[in-house]
Amino acid sequence: MMSALQSWDVVIAGAGLAGLSMAVELAAPEFSHLRILLVEPRLAHVRDRTWSFWAVPGALPQRWQSLEQTQWQQWRLSYEGRSVETSGEYAYASVRADVFYENALKIIANSPNIIWARGSNIVEVKERDDGLELHTKTGQMYLTQLLLDSRPPAAAAPSEWVQHFSGWEVTSQTACFDAGCVDLMAFESSAHGLHFIYCLPYSATQALVESTWISRSHTSSNYEKELRTALEKRWHCNDYDISFREHGALPLWPRAQVDSRHIVRIGRAGGTLRASTGYAFCATLQHSRVLAASLKRQIGQLGHLQGWQAPACKISAVDRWMDTVLFRVLERDWKTAPRFFLDLFERVPSAPLTRFLHGQSSWQDRLAVMRALPAAPFIRAAMGLD
């Protein structure tokens, strides 16, 4: 049986990184007159992932800068006996999801105008003259003027690019890991995609180790075998306990979704994921901040939500184009592809490279990246000759 139609000023679909960060922004006093509903399938938030980023100046909005982080000043890439180890002006940082969740949930709990609808998810959206009619799997119906939609993009088609991974947090009985250096990409040879092992060492005996692939979505992986092999052969780690597991599959170029004047996509659905890196943490937090600031101006000037033009996530069109060219080159020969990454980290100074990877690059930074790569294959790919 369908429920009666409930009216809300704002509905946030999904309470992951994007939904929670948006709700935190809307917990500010300026929005206290709005009735906000947060629709989330999970009944509780527990640790389910780890987010990483380059700690360049301004990477995190001010409200999140006090989040507990683990940071490293050194990182390493390796492939077929070649290794490049770099120390940088900007640290590589990671945040556990449960730390972020705890901070966000405390802020939201202090805002009586934000109401939870847990154990529910939106399955149908209907456009009406007076707003959007939302239907959930459990039969609730909501009417809203604004849907902030963080629901993931549609599943990738078999031919589309996906970054997929599985990771274990392990505790070893013996000292196995170099606690001062992140293994960003320990490449494994493959003809089917880019495969590498990623390791965040928290101490000599504890680390998060992930097997990561960038490939077409139809590519299958034996993550468990890959992780066990990496732990045994790379780190001589044979006696360990697994305390946490995480996995994910991120479409790198999600198909465009049709919006309406009442729908604003946020998070990965709103384009915060950088295809060449798989990073979206900082961009998602920054986009939530920008959206809230724009919405505050709208309400201050007009006193209502209608007609609001939401600012899009600002990932540079040049960076997106460079990512496209990179993938055209990589897929020509996956076994050669890792060498391009080692060349980048060996030839480009740390500061401009990390700014480029983070998405804060200048034209000088981009030129430094271009000069570090072999000209012929990238020019051909840029001109569409491959």
Side-chain angles (χ1 to χ4, degrees):
M1 179 181 295
M2 299 296 289
S3 66
L5 189 65
Q6 301 176 27
S7 182
W8 299 87
D9 295 308
V10 180
V11 172
I12 301 174
L17 173 64
L20 285 179
S21 63
M22 197 69 244
V24 165
E25 297 292 345
L26 297 182
E30 305 92 285
F31 304 108
S32 61
H33 64 289
L34 297 179
R35 299 182 69 248
I36 300 170
L37 183 68
L38 192 49
V39 183
E40 167 58 34
R42 284 174 287 191
L43 297 177
H45 282 75
V46 297
R47 183 184 179 192
D48 56 358
R49 66 197 66 214
T50 304
W51 291 296
S52 296
F53 59 97
W54 300 98
V56 303
L60 296 179
Q62 186 174 0
R63 71 161 66 251
W64 299 113
Q65 289 176 8
S66 61
L67 275 178
E68 181 183 344
Q69 305 169 21
T70 307
Q71 294 194 351
W72 298 264
Q73 294 295 148
Q74 292 181 298
W75 42 87
R76 177 170 45 234
L77 285 79
S78 57
Y79 183 54
E80 293 186 339
R82 180 185 171 194
S83 180
V84 175
E85 189 169 315
T86 305
S87 60
E89 176 182 345
Y90 310 126
Y92 190 75
S94 75
V95 173
R96 286 174 31 158
D98 55 329
V99 173
F100 172 80
Y101 294 153
E102 181 180 359
N103 279 263
L105 293 172
K106 283 180 180 178
I107 296 171
I108 295 167
N110 290 324
S111 296
N113 62 313
I114 301 179
I115 306 299
W116 283 89
R118 285 194 178 272
S120 185
N121 60 311
I122 295 168
V123 294
E124 187 178 8
V125 179
K126 294 182 178 179
E127 189 87 28
R128 296 173 30 150
D129 291 339
D130 56 349
L132 294 174
E133 183 179 307
L134 311 177
H135 294 247
T136 72
K137 191 174 182 179
T138 51
Q140 289 89 5
M141 293 192 303
Y142 306 119
L143 177 66
T144 186
Q145 293 299 311
L146 176 62
L147 174 62
L148 297 171
D149 194 354
S150 73
R151 291 175 299 166
S159 62
E160 291 181 313
W161 292 106
V162 175
Q163 178 176 304
H164 50 108
F165 61 91
S166 182
W168 297 343
E169 186 172 284
V170 300
T171 301
S172 172
Q173 298 302 312
T174 59
C176 299
F177 306 105
D178 178 359
C181 185
V182 172
D183 278 280
L184 277 181
M185 292 178 165
F187 290 102
E188 302 283 347
S189 182
S190 172
H192 306 295
L194 200 65
H195 179 213
F196 57 91
I197 304 297
Y198 171 76
C199 176
L200 297 180
Y202 301 123
S203 71
T205 57
Q206 187 180 35
L208 175 65
V209 181
E210 294 185 350
S211 177
T212 302
W213 284 83
I214 297 175
S215 66
R216 303 294 186 181
S217 65
H218 59 73
T219 305
S220 59
S221 306
N222 188 338
Y223 298 118
E224 183 153 334
K225 180 180 179 181
E226 293 160 3
L227 288 166
R228 292 196 182 280
T229 299
L231 283 164
E232 292 169 8
K233 292 188 175 180
R234 288 186 178 276
W235 290 282
H236 307 292
C237 186
N238 299 291
D239 188 5
Y240 54 86
D241 296 317
I242 303 171
S243 58
F244 170 72
R245 298 171 185 260
E246 66 178 26
H247 61 274
L250 311 175
L252 296 178
W253 273 283
R255 283 164 282 174
Q257 301 180 79
V258 178
D259 286 349
S260 78
R261 59 194 175 95
H262 297 288
I263 301 176
V264 175
R265 310 284 177 177
I266 59 176
R268 289 192 290 116
T272 61
L273 182 74
R274 178 82 182 273
S276 62
T277 64
Y279 296 147
F281 181 68
C282 294
T284 299
L285 298 181
Q286 294 285 6
H287 191 217
S288 293
R289 182 186 61 82
V290 169
L291 286 172
S294 174
L295 192 56
K296 178 182 175 181
R297 289 192 296 271
Q298 167 80 9
I299 292 173
Q301 293 170 2
L302 302 178
H304 55 73
L305 302 174
Q306 287 100 336
W308 179 48
Q309 295 297 313
C313 177
K314 292 183 179 180
I315 293 181
S316 163
V318 176
D319 289 340
R320 291 190 187 277
W321 172 77
M322 291 180 71
D323 290 351
T324 301
V325 172
L326 172 66
F327 272 78
R328 289 175 184 169
V329 174
L330 296 183
E331 67 178 321
R332 291 183 62 219
D333 183 1
W334 286 115
K335 291 186 177 182
T336 301
R339 297 171 191 165
F340 296 134
F341 290 89
L342 270 73
D343 287 346
L344 272 179
F345 278 79
E346 188 172 61
R347 299 173 183 175
V348 181
S350 174
L353 180 59
T354 51
R355 287 195 297 265
F356 174 78
L357 295 171
H358 175 70
Q360 281 189 359
S361 52
S362 64
W363 276 105
Q364 289 83 356
D365 297 337
R366 296 187 184 104
L367 288 173
V369 168
M370 293 177 186
R371 286 195 294 264
L373 297 168
F378 281 86
I379 291 173
R380 288 179 58 83
M383 297 178 65
L385 298 177
D386 285 328

